[in-house]
Amino acid sequence: MEYHPLTKAIRIQTERTHEMEHSTPMFLTSSFQFENAEDMRAAFADETDDNIYSRFSNPGVQEFTDKMCALEGAEAGYATASGMSAVFASFMALLKAGDHLLACNSIFGSTHTIITKYLPKYGIEYSYVSADKPEEWAAAIRPNTKMLYLETPTNPGLDIIDLEAAGKLCKEHNLIFNVDNCFATPVNQRPVEFGADLIVHSATKWIDGQGRVLGGVVVGKKELIKDIYLFCRSSGPALSPFNAWILSKSLETLDVRMERHAGNALSIATQLQNHPQLNWVKYPFLPTHPNYEIARKQMRNGGGLFCFELKGGLESGRKFLDSLQLMSLTANLGDTRSIASHPASTTHAKLTEDERQAVGITPGLIRISVGLEYADDILNDILQALEQC
Ligand SMILES: *Cc1c(COP(=O)(O)O)cnc(C)c1O
């Protein structure tokens, strides 16, 4: 019988050992043994799928990867030590000198650094298009454009990009469509259904979901993953078997966790909507979100993040962070613990005012990663902090 992806996220498991364990053990081994010279020769000649060395493959890492492929509806995948190594490998394996990468302007900071600082060192050109001007994207495609890269919802502004329209554009122009699906997670949004060829993830965020380990994964078309696998096998960003064990276990509860994160986020965002100290509140599943219709089309729920703009600007933003009693001030997101961030004074402080403006980071912007605490406790913490601003 063919099971639903959510069942597979629980039931996919490495072959049981003679101990008949119910849950998966950890495969903390750097290499694997062979019975004889012939078996070893065949493994090295790629005639078998036998594990050789944990930089190439490891049963626990494969279990996590297989679950991610099932959830995303993807053919194949490779798991990495962090989200950034997944992003980097997807560029390095598939782009070459003379190619052009088209990327959406509101992307994760380190991804921006790789694109602008490192890709040009290898002769790979790039240009950015605006998340809120999809009508301009087609004109930005050059004869040597090889890949389109985007994130949706975007960070930290939570804009929604129409995956179906982007998928069509890539098909028309024969581009590799590469989507960072970290913010939505595969239980909420499946870019493959809209034509994505590759999906990258930081598993560090919602997938782990408890702020314990780093991890990443790239899944997608078999022939593209093969090149990524060969690049990673030689360059070494392999996911540790310990982290894979944690992340595979985490996938068993991803769907129920995300439902609660999203339920809390929608309820809190709704109750803050008309607060006198806020200019606006933005959450993909609030009808006031400018891309609400697209969000409803491509997402099952609105996710665990929302943001708002304080009327008082930069000083208010800092005051807001200082006044929080429950929420954490930390550089992560996607945790059981709610987290507040003020991009203008922290993650995006190095950008110029104009650069911040271009990606919607206003001085009073606050982003909340909604945790699994009791929703009223989270809301009340925000309300009492707003009183201090
Ligand atoms: C955190 C993050 C990354 C990078 O992941 P790491 O696991 O920290 O390397 C990439 N994309 C997005 C959207 C992220 O939030």
Side-chain angles (χ1 to χ4, degrees):
M1 193 167 19
E2 180 66 19
Y3 291 116
H4 189 277
L6 293 178
T7 303
K8 290 184 181 171
I10 293 168
R11 285 290 177 174
I12 286 177
Q13 190 165 340
T14 55
E15 202 180 321
R16 288 198 166 77
T17 71
H18 65 282
E19 301 287 0
M20 287 303 286
E21 68 279 356
H22 185 207
S23 312
T24 307
M26 283 191 214
F27 292 92
L28 296 184
T29 178
S30 39
S31 68
F32 300 83
Q33 207 176 321
F34 295 92
E35 293 278 2
N36 53 53
E38 173 50 23
D39 284 1
M40 197 165 181
R41 182 207 63 77
F44 274 86
D46 290 329
E47 290 168 15
T48 68
D49 288 335
D50 290 348
N51 293 300
I52 298 173
Y53 190 59
S54 285
R55 169 151 45 81
F56 308 174
S57 66
N58 172 283
V61 174
Q62 193 59 45
E63 178 186 287
F64 167 65
T65 310
D66 289 346
K67 286 181 177 183
M68 284 300 298
C69 289
L71 285 171
E72 287 285 10
E75 295 170 359
Y78 184 83
T80 55
S82 67
M84 282 323 302
S85 46
V87 171
F88 185 64
S90 77
F91 294 158
M92 292 312 281
L94 300 171
L95 300 174
K96 61 178 189 317
D99 286 344
H100 171 246
L101 169 71
L102 192 61
C104 182
N105 63 350
S106 64
I107 50 170
F108 188 66
S110 298
T111 307
H112 174 74
T113 303
I114 298 240
I115 291 176
T116 56
K117 191 166 169 199
Y118 294 103
L119 294 189
K121 273 177 70 172
Y122 303 97
I124 299 162
E125 299 167 20
Y126 70 89
S127 56
Y128 282 114
V129 285
S130 220
D132 56 359
K133 295 197 186 80
E135 66 281 2
E136 293 178 1
W137 292 22
I141 296 172
R142 303 176 188 173
N144 58 340
T145 306
K146 185 90 182 281
M147 181 185 282
L148 174 68
Y149 182 88
L150 60 82
E151 290 172 22
T152 179
T154 64
N155 179 32
L158 304 180
D159 291 318
I160 303 293
I161 296 167
D162 189 337
L163 287 171
E164 191 180 4
K168 275 193 191 132
L169 189 71
C170 289
K171 202 163 185 97
E172 267 169 41
H173 296 269
N174 201 22
L175 310 182
I176 298 170
F177 184 19
N178 191 353
V179 178
D180 181 333
N181 201 28
C182 170
F183 271 28
T185 83
V187 297
N188 188 5
Q189 169 174 284
R190 304 221 299 172
V192 163
E193 292 168 5
F194 303 100
D197 301 300
L198 286 177
I199 294 108
V200 291
H201 275 282
S202 168
T204 315
K205 314 292 169 55
W206 303 107
I207 290 176
D208 172 52
Q210 300 187 22
R212 297 302 201 286
V213 300
L214 294 179
V217 64
V218 48
V219 301
K221 293 236 167 81
K222 219 180 209 154
E223 74 268 17
L224 300 176
I225 295 295
K226 186 165 181 222
D227 285 343
I228 292 170
Y229 163 71
L230 291 172
F231 171 76
C232 291
R233 168 178 163 143
S234 296
S235 59
L239 178 64
S240 95
F242 177 79
N243 288 8
W245 182 86
I246 301 233
L247 294 171
S248 180
K249 180 171 75 64
S250 298
L251 288 180
E252 296 176 22
T253 57
L254 180 65
D255 189 49
V256 288
R257 287 187 286 110
M258 289 317 294
E259 243 176 53
R260 178 63 74 85
H261 282 294
N264 279 357
L266 178 61
S267 150
I268 296 165
T270 304
Q271 293 177 77
L272 285 174
Q273 248 183 329
N274 298 312
H275 194 283
Q277 268 155 284
L278 305 181
N279 285 328
W280 46 257
V281 176
K282 208 158 150 199
Y283 179 69
F285 269 32
L286 276 185
T288 49
H289 190 291
N291 315 115
Y292 175 70
E293 294 302 328
I294 302 168
R296 294 300 301 226
K297 180 179 75 174
Q298 66 194 29
M299 298 171 79
R300 275 175 66 214
N301 60 56
L305 294 152
F306 74 95
C307 57
F308 53 75
E309 188 182 65
L310 293 161
K311 284 188 177 156
L314 199 70
E315 269 319 298
S316 262
R318 293 168 55 91
K319 192 89 213 318
F320 178 81
L321 290 193
D322 279 340
S323 307
L324 290 167
Q325 292 173 5
L326 174 70
M327 262 188 254
S328 320
L329 311 185
T330 178
N332 202 10
L333 63 95
D335 198 303
T336 52
R337 302 160 190 83
S338 294
I339 296 164
S341 68
H342 179 226
S345 72
T346 57
T347 46
H348 295 71
K350 288 202 188 85
L351 272 62
T352 65
E353 190 62 44
D354 281 353
E355 284 173 330
R356 274 196 294 273
Q357 210 65 43
V359 288
I361 298 168
T362 56
L365 179 75
I366 298 283
R367 187 194 71 192
I368 307 285
S369 169
V370 179
L372 298 181
E373 302 100 334
Y374 190 63
D376 281 353
D377 287 341
I378 306 169
L379 175 66
N380 289 335
D381 194 31
I382 296 173
L383 291 174
Q384 68 79 23
L386 285 175
E387 268 173 36
Q388 313 299 317
C389 292

